[in-house]
Amino acid sequence: MRVYVDLSFCNPIAIHNTRLLFAYAHMLPPVPRISAVPLPTALILLVKMWAKGRGIADASNGGLSSYAYSLLVIRFLQSELGLQLPNLQHNAGEWGKKGNLKGSAGVFLVPSVSSSDPFHVSCQNAYFEHPLWGKNEAIVPQERKMNEAMDAAESETEFDEIVSAGLFGWGPAGGKGKCESAFITPESVTPSLSVLFCRFFLFVSREFDWGARVICIRSGG
């Protein structure tokens, strides 16, 4: 079995980006009568499997990357009536104010290394806030050891193990709630996975204006 991974060196913004996608992917309850996988996660995996089966999931060959498909699905769920995932970055409006480097309301700057120029380091705003887990937090060197110990000592659920192992202390295992309270429950009845799969293609093929807009989960573009 082949396992594909992305490697990133000296670029901590990638960890915060993973946290953000993880938060979005676990915001809705699991797929009814299918598995314990949260609905956004299941839809993202289904779309990626479809794209891979048709040979359009490789950015190096002209297709979209796995990350791009994740953004497409999240943006679709943000706009889908009855679900409408909230914008976790909506309070990041302070971004852009000069001299605001210590992180006041809505600003959490993290160094980011440019792929084209490894000697150029800029700062990216990594602020977001989950309605139940709280605000994104800084990563300190000792968190990895603490979480490994926590994972070994109190692995209450598989969900908690994933958070503490992969997100370095942020999320339910970091003390911001438990697995059973981690989901946002829509007011209406959640559509089936098959219905959302079909609605996704309708969204990207007919409803989204590709000539005038770009996909952006932060601004709702």
Side-chain angles (χ1 to χ4, degrees):
M1 180 180 68
R2 293 182 178 181
V3 178
Y4 296 91
V5 298
D6 292 324
L7 296 180
S8 180
F9 297 93
C10 302
N11 196 21
I13 191 67
I15 298 177
H16 296 282
N17 188 52
T18 299
R19 287 177 171 179
L20 177 63
L21 294 186
F22 184 90
Y24 274 118
H26 290 79
M27 291 198 73
L28 294 175
V31 180
R33 301 183 298 277
I34 296 182
S35 67
V37 178
L39 182 57
T41 303
L43 185 57
I44 289 172
L45 291 175
L46 185 58
V47 169
K48 288 182 179 181
M49 289 177 60
W50 170 85
K52 185 176 180 180
R54 282 151 182 79
I56 55 174
D58 186 354
S60 63
N61 291 323
L64 295 179
S65 66
S66 175
Y67 174 69
Y69 280 110
S70 298
L71 294 182
L72 276 173
V73 173
I74 293 172
R75 181 64 190 89
F76 159 67
L77 292 176
Q78 286 179 328
S79 63
E80 180 66 2
L81 293 176
L83 296 178
Q84 293 177 313
L85 293 185
N87 181 357
L88 301 185
Q89 298 167 285
H90 72 282
N91 285 330
E94 294 294 319
W95 169 244
K97 289 188 175 181
K98 295 181 179 180
N100 209 355
L101 298 180
K102 294 186 178 180
S104 62
V107 177
F108 177 26
L109 300 185
V110 175
S112 176
V113 179
S114 171
S115 58
S116 59
D117 183 4
F119 296 100
H120 176 71
V121 179
S122 60
C123 286
Q124 303 293 329
N125 188 10
Y127 176 90
F128 68 88
E129 183 174 2
H130 190 284
L132 295 176
W133 298 348
K135 298 178 181 179
N136 185 26
E137 298 177 347
I139 301 169
V140 296
Q142 293 299 319
E143 280 189 349
R144 182 189 293 267
K145 290 184 178 180
M146 292 172 61
N147 284 310
E148 288 177 351
M150 181 188 301
D151 190 38
E154 38 177 273
S155 54
E156 297 181 2
T157 65
E158 181 182 357
F159 188 85
D160 281 352
E161 291 175 7
I162 293 174
V163 176
S164 58
L167 297 183
F168 308 99
W170 182 85
K176 291 185 169 52
K178 294 298 180 181
C179 173
E180 58 270 15
S181 63
F183 303 114
I184 305 300
T185 303
E187 295 181 0
S188 60
V189 177
T190 304
S192 67
L193 182 60
S194 58
V195 170
L196 284 177
F197 187 57
C198 295
R199 282 282 304 125
F200 169 78
F201 288 107
L202 182 62
F203 170 77
V204 297
S205 64
R206 297 190 179 185
E207 297 177 3
F208 191 82
D209 187 356
W210 294 98
R213 302 168 63 189
V214 295
I215 292 291
C216 180
I217 63 175
R218 178 182 60 82
S219 66

